Amino acid sequence: MTRLLTATVMAVSAMTMSGCALLQSGASGVTLNILEEGFTPPALRLADADMVCKFATVNGPLVGAAREFHGDPSLMEATLYTTASFCSEAEAVTEELRYMRAVRDKRPDEATDARIAQKRLLALTAERQYLAFQRMKTKLEQKYFFQYGKTCPRFRRDFDELVYLSGTMAGLLAVTNDFQSQQSVGVPTDIAPQSDFAMTCLSNEKWWGVPSAARAVVWSLLPGGSEGKDVKGTFEKAMAIGEAKGVRLPHVFQVVAAVSADDTETARKTMKRFANVENFKPNDDYRIFDVMAKMQMNNISDRMWTQATGSRTPFGGLGKFWDEKPKNDVNVDNFLN
């Protein structure tokens, strides 16, 4: 009888605890679904990158707390960590520009301090991006039963597909930023070849030409990766799709590849194209991605301008350069002021 009573009490306790866990898991699942399906679309329509970036930084830990209630917030975390990485990357660029000015003005102490601050921020950026990649990869592999970089998932939701796209881009950026911070995070470099295959799983037309542009970057950066590949043609087609679809991210990939190859002419040409797309209309549903693309393009332009002149790109001057003759014989001093 004692054994029977003990066993009964233990069974009831287990059922009660299990029931609580199920209730918590259900509540967490509903909340996460609201965030994914209800909160994310309006955020993607925003044109304020700073607001979206800070929202992601503040709310990332809050969303992650869903694990305490038996939920799995991995996909939302991947989105938030990717977005938050743009905050720290922008701060890293600011420190890089400070470093350039200090070197230009022969202030070694200031230059050293700026370089240290830049590397710290790049390490933080790489850490956020790698975490976003890991969250995306682990959760989607579990959900769709595929092997990232070797087989393709059959997506049932646009949100999952979007996380797959942004998480893959985050992984590529993590490799670059970790390298620039002296590999302090330890991001594995095999993410690059994995992402080459991963991007073949996405529709190039649906996702603004980004999948093929990302692959072209990988071809450009990996030793021997461009052999037998039409890198230039791939970028051209991707940019045309991006312009038609209202998201100019492929242009950023082209400039990154050009800068890495010290191809200043192509970088400038692409930046001009970015800034002067005729009758360009941003994609209303994914406006934030085009805003982020412009922010990235401004960062690259600011590096070039600061290296040459000591100051950032003039306001409204994206696509213009310090050594060009202004149209209509406008005084260059007026343009720089």
Side-chain angles (χ1 to χ4, degrees), residues 226-247:
S226 61
E227 292 182 11
K229 308 286 198 321
D230 182 10
V231 177
K232 182 178 179 181
T234 300
F235 274 129
E236 286 294 325
K237 291 177 183 178
M239 288 190 290
I241 293 172
E243 291 165 3
K245 298 291 184 178
V247 178

Side-chain angles (χ1 to χ4, degrees), residues 99-127:
Y99 166 80
M100 289 180 178
R101 288 190 292 270
V103 170
R104 186 184 180 87
D105 297 339
K106 296 181 174 57
R107 290 180 285 124
D109 291 345
E110 180 79 4
T112 300
D113 183 73
R115 183 62 88 190
I116 292 170
Q118 179 197 0
K119 288 182 178 179
R120 287 179 180 177
L121 288 163
L122 286 173
L124 175 61
T125 301
E127 187 174 359

